[in-house]
Amino acid sequence: EDVKPFTPEKTKEIVMSLQQPAVFCNMVGDWPALRWNARHLSAMLDGKTIQFRLGLKTVDLVPQFETRCSYVKATLEEFLAWSCGQPSCLSGPFSCYEHSKYWAYADYKYIARIFEDKPEIFQDIRWSDFGFPGRNGKESTLWIGSEGANTPCHLDSYGCNLVLQVQGRKRWHLFPPGDTSFLYPTRIPYEESSIFSKVNVANPDLKRFPEFRNTTAHVVTLSPGQVLLIPRHWWHYVESIDPITVSINSWIELDADHEARVEEAITRMLVCAIKSAENPSDGDLWLNPTEVEATSHEINLQYLNKAVSAYFECQKASVSEQARPSSTHAEQRASASCKRKKREVDCESEGCKLLTHEFGVSTLKAEKLHKIPFGPHLIQVLPQSQETGLMGAVAVESDGRDLHENEGGHVGKLHRTRKRLVTSNDCETPAHQMGPDSSPNASQTALSTNDLLDCLVNPHVISLVAQLLLERIRI
């Protein structure tokens, strides 16, 4: 019998209260999903094509946003052949992309969609062991990448994240919510629920983004059989460091997501209204390829009203739940579905704002952190400066396992035809627009629409607007 280090109840308590990243070890040894390496998945998909995102391996000062990547549809068999450099790839979907120069990523694949004809395999993933009965592959997503495949640094507006590493290793660079202003947040490219950083954290441009020096990176290398907890609103940049990597994740819903949805709806209205007013010939690829449905101001207004209604419904349910003596804080979990991701917090809404440095720090560390059972089965991902002996990532190993082994419906999404995209989101003032004193030339327009948007939809500003809007409804 496989005895796990934590009961489902204890694991859920940790997940819902811990507000710093940590790695669970020895919790999934009996999961059939551990067999889901790329070759096994290829056999299960049986020739079905999936979309891959391709990016250059060259290191740039600008993040490789999804709008700057190329896209192909291919089978996993073709992907594996390409990743091995087989001659058959000369005429396949990857023929234009030399393996030594490009990485490929089948990211964010909803298991319920790609395996809709094989629902029995959903049971291979058992999030019930983490205290979430009934949650399995149906509520999970799949990520398959080659070496170098990466996700730009961003935070998820909704929920917390549990990530199971199946094959290969991935390196995670995580930053706490209090570092938001140092990461230069932007909503261009726009994607609901994802706030991107302008900084390429793997190769930061410190001249343009000097405040990045003030960040506190938590770096960890996740190995097969380990599960990483990414708490609510933690920034993360993720990169595959082995030839083939496979991960499975699930975003956990939280009560705090209802207010976050109001904030996202406000952001959506502003971004769409302002960017849609621009001349289309400008060619600014502001919409992330994940946003694939038509929208309008009327639809966005409906979305906002639905988000506000759901928020107040949650408030009523929360008051009713708290009135029950037997109710516990850990059991108060939202049941409404979310677009991507979600997490419970132990503070009032004002204390849960993105730029509040005290979020989950003073209260949790003083009252709860000492109760967390850290040890060989639950390993803290510490700030990089606190680690010794390693200049790069901190490897977490589980019971001697060899480290060298190995998207929920969108509501009213936006649309942009997918194509090969090469536009940068650089908003720096061009040299020819600068005066002799290095200030913007008054005769030139130095500020762009994106500069204005970065101020208007800054997470701190949107949070304040959401509070004012909700207060207006209460009145």
Side-chain angles (χ1 to χ4, degrees):
E1 184 180 358
D2 182 22
V3 179
K4 301 184 186 300
F6 307 114
T7 64
E9 295 75 20
K10 183 60 179 178
T11 309
K12 182 178 180 180
E13 180 185 331
I14 294 169
V15 169
M16 302 301 271
S17 63
L18 185 57
Q19 293 175 11
Q20 69 175 70
V23 176
F24 287 93
C25 302
N26 311 310
M27 284 291 294
V28 298
D30 58 344
W31 287 23
L34 284 184
R35 300 193 303 262
W36 286 23
N37 58 45
R39 295 208 174 274
H40 182 78
L41 290 167
S42 178
M44 287 200 297
L45 286 168
D46 192 25
K48 187 175 184 177
T49 61
I50 56 178
Q51 182 166 261
F52 288 83
R53 176 165 60 94
L54 292 107
L56 287 166
K57 289 183 177 180
T58 53
V59 180
D60 197 354
L61 292 174
V62 181
Q64 285 201 63
F65 291 122
E66 291 170 63
T67 49
R68 302 179 66 229
C69 292
S70 303
Y71 295 85
V72 301
K73 286 192 174 181
T75 65
L76 264 184
E77 186 177 2
E78 289 169 327
F79 164 73
L80 289 169
W82 172 78
S83 66
C84 296
Q86 293 182 11
S88 60
C89 298
L90 296 177
S91 59
F94 293 101
S95 58
C96 296
Y97 307 96
E98 189 177 331
H99 179 256
S100 62
K101 296 181 180 178
Y102 287 88
W103 48 258
Y105 208 4
D107 53 351
Y108 206 108
K109 305 303 178 192
Y110 283 103
I111 292 172
R113 293 178 186 171
I114 63 174
F115 290 115
E116 59 185 350
D117 57 336
K118 296 182 176 67
E120 65 277 4
I121 73 166
F122 299 164
Q123 305 303 321
D124 287 4
I125 301 163
R126 304 171 179 173
W127 297 115
S128 56
D129 286 344
F130 284 75
F132 303 99
R135 183 179 291 263
N136 53 41
K138 189 176 181 180
E139 298 84 19
S140 304
T141 50
L142 185 64
W143 311 70
I144 307 165
S146 65
E147 184 177 357
N150 64 81
T151 303
C153 187
H154 69 285
L155 70 75
D156 303 325
S157 303
Y158 310 141
C160 69
N161 195 358
L162 288 172
V163 183
L164 165 65
Q165 194 63 25
V166 176
Q167 179 180 359
R169 297 168 301 156
K170 278 186 174 178
R171 183 165 296 143
W172 290 74
H173 297 247
L174 302 119
F175 302 87
D179 282 357
T180 293
S181 61
F182 308 142
L183 286 159
Y184 299 83
T186 182
R187 297 312 298 260
I188 304 297
Y190 173 77
E191 174 186 295
E192 182 188 343
S193 87
S194 294
I195 303 176
F196 292 101
S197 168
K198 288 185 175 182
V199 184
N200 180 356
V201 300
N203 186 37
D205 184 349
L206 295 178
K207 289 184 178 180
R208 191 172 171 212
F209 306 114
E211 292 297 309
F212 180 73
R213 293 185 179 91
N214 297 322
T215 61
T216 304
H218 296 60
V219 185
V220 63
T221 298
L222 198 66
S223 295
Q226 298 174 340
V227 175
L228 175 64
L229 165 65
I230 302 103
R232 182 176 189 262
H233 285 174
W234 272 72
W235 293 82
H236 45 285
Y237 165 81
V238 192
E239 181 179 9
S240 297
I241 60 175
D242 279 332
I244 301 291
T245 63
V246 176
S247 306
I248 297 169
N249 86 295
S250 189
W251 285 284
I252 307 301
E253 301 85 1
L254 304 170
D255 285 338
D257 291 344
H258 290 285
E259 185 168 355
R261 249 186 218 95
V262 175
E263 295 175 358
E264 286 295 288
I266 295 168
T267 300
R268 177 180 180 147
M269 287 194 72
L270 289 173
V271 173
C272 292
I274 293 176
K275 294 301 288 186
S276 297
E278 286 187 318
N279 189 337
S281 63
D282 291 344
D284 181 13
L285 301 168
W286 60 275
L287 194 62
N288 220 37
T290 50
E291 303 289 319
V292 294
E293 293 179 20
T295 190
S296 66
H297 183 76
E298 290 72 24
I299 289 175
N300 289 338
L301 187 59
Q302 291 176 21
Y303 186 83
L304 174 61
N305 278 284
K306 287 180 180 179
V308 170
S309 296
Y311 170 82
F312 283 110
E313 285 298 318
C314 179
Q315 291 287 298
K316 291 178 183 177
S318 179
V319 170
S320 175
E321 188 72 19
Q322 289 173 8
R324 301 178 188 176
S326 60
S327 175
T328 63
H329 181 75
E331 293 170 345
Q332 295 167 11
R333 190 165 69 92
S335 59
S337 61
C338 69
K339 179 235 171 192
R340 271 204 177 184
K341 325 152 192 179
K342 257 183 162 200
R343 167 163 178 95
E344 188 148 0
V345 291
D346 196 17
C347 53
E348 297 299 324
S349 60
E350 180 65 24
C352 298
K353 299 310 164 194
L354 219 54
L355 298 185
T356 305
H357 285 253
E358 290 76 21
F359 170 77
V361 177
S362 58
T363 301
L364 185 69
K365 283 192 175 181
E367 299 178 4
K368 288 188 174 180
L369 198 55
H370 69 281
K371 298 179 182 178
I372 300 296
F374 292 119
H377 306 299
L378 180 66
I379 302 174
Q380 290 178 272
V381 181
L382 297 173
Q384 197 170 14
S385 60
Q386 295 182 18
E387 301 295 336
T388 58
L390 286 175
M391 295 299 291
V394 180
V396 177
E397 190 171 357
S398 170
D399 275 0
R401 183 181 289 272
D402 185 0
L403 289 175
H404 297 275
E405 189 261 347
N406 213 19
E407 317 336 147
H410 296 228
V411 182
K413 288 310 197 181
L414 311 175
H415 174 73
R416 170 79 71 173
T417 302
R418 296 191 182 192
K419 55 186 177 179
R420 189 169 184 180
L421 306 165
V422 294
T423 303
S424 165
N425 291 292
D426 188 77
C427 299
E428 204 167 18
T429 304
H432 69 273
Q433 293 183 9
M434 302 298 287
D437 59 349
S438 296
S439 61
N441 192 323
S443 64
Q444 300 284 349
T445 302
L447 293 174
S448 69
T449 304
N450 291 356
D451 292 323
L452 176 62
L453 273 175
D454 282 341
C455 298
L456 287 177
V457 297
N458 180 285
H460 186 54
V461 175
I462 292 296
S463 175
L464 177 59
V465 172
Q467 291 177 57
L468 293 172
L469 190 64
L470 292 171
E471 189 60 36
R472 176 182 293 265
I473 299 298
R474 288 190 185 95
I475 296 173

